[in-house]
Amino acid sequence: QVQLVESGGGLVQAGGSLRLSCAASGRTFSSLGWFRQAPGKEREFVAVISWSGSSTFYADSVKGRFTISRDNAKNTLYLQMNSLKPEDTAIYYCAGRSGAPRVGPHDYDYWGQGTQVTVSS
């Protein structure tokens, strides 16, 4: 059974940091990504990474503040989030796909259940 399980979300003050993790089981993924969805909004791309980690892409809104990484030996994806802002508040999802990284949520076949990130002002 393929599973993606996120952890590390929580409540943090603006300017603070959080590190999200996503443990994959049941298979490995060529590309992994983080997406988020705020109340009343569409799910949006945050960051994606290739198998080797040599290719990463970030949404403009998080560039310079967030860092995506992966540990293939542990089959785990990470998202280091620094300088958090209230507008980063959302449910964060990890997703996996075969093939090259893509930024569209519809390009991903497997999803975790999400972890809530709340940034207070």
Side-chain angles (χ1 to χ4, degrees):
Q1 182 182 3
V2 179
Q3 278 192 311
L4 294 168
V5 180
E6 302 96 336
S7 61
L11 173 64
V12 63
Q13 287 189 329
S17 298
L18 282 174
R19 188 193 195 204
L20 304 184
S21 299
C22 173
S25 60
R27 61 161 289 176
T28 57
F29 296 96
S30 299
S31 298
L32 289 165
W34 288 101
F35 297 80
R36 66 186 183 187
Q37 188 167 17
K41 294 189 176 181
E42 298 283 322
R43 190 168 299 190
E44 66 175 6
F45 157 71
V46 175
V48 295
I49 188 169
S50 62
W51 169 262
S52 67
S54 60
S55 294
T56 57
F57 302 94
Y58 295 92
D60 288 343
S61 59
V62 307
K63 209 171 287 184
R65 299 187 297 123
F66 291 9
T67 302
I68 189 171
S69 61
R70 64 189 294 172
D71 184 336
N72 292 334
K74 296 181 179 179
N75 210 8
T76 300
L77 175 72
Y78 303 99
L79 185 69
Q80 178 65 44
M81 306 187 294
N82 298 329
S83 303
L84 283 161
K85 304 175 181 180
E87 50 264 44
D88 294 319
T89 295
I91 299 174
Y92 283 70
Y93 299 89
C94 70
R97 71 182 302 274
S98 301
R102 295 284 187 269
V103 302
H106 57 276
D107 289 315
Y108 289 76
D109 303 309
Y110 295 90
W111 291 85
Q113 82 290 347
T115 186
Q116 177 71 49
V117 171
T118 303
V119 185
S120 63
S121 56

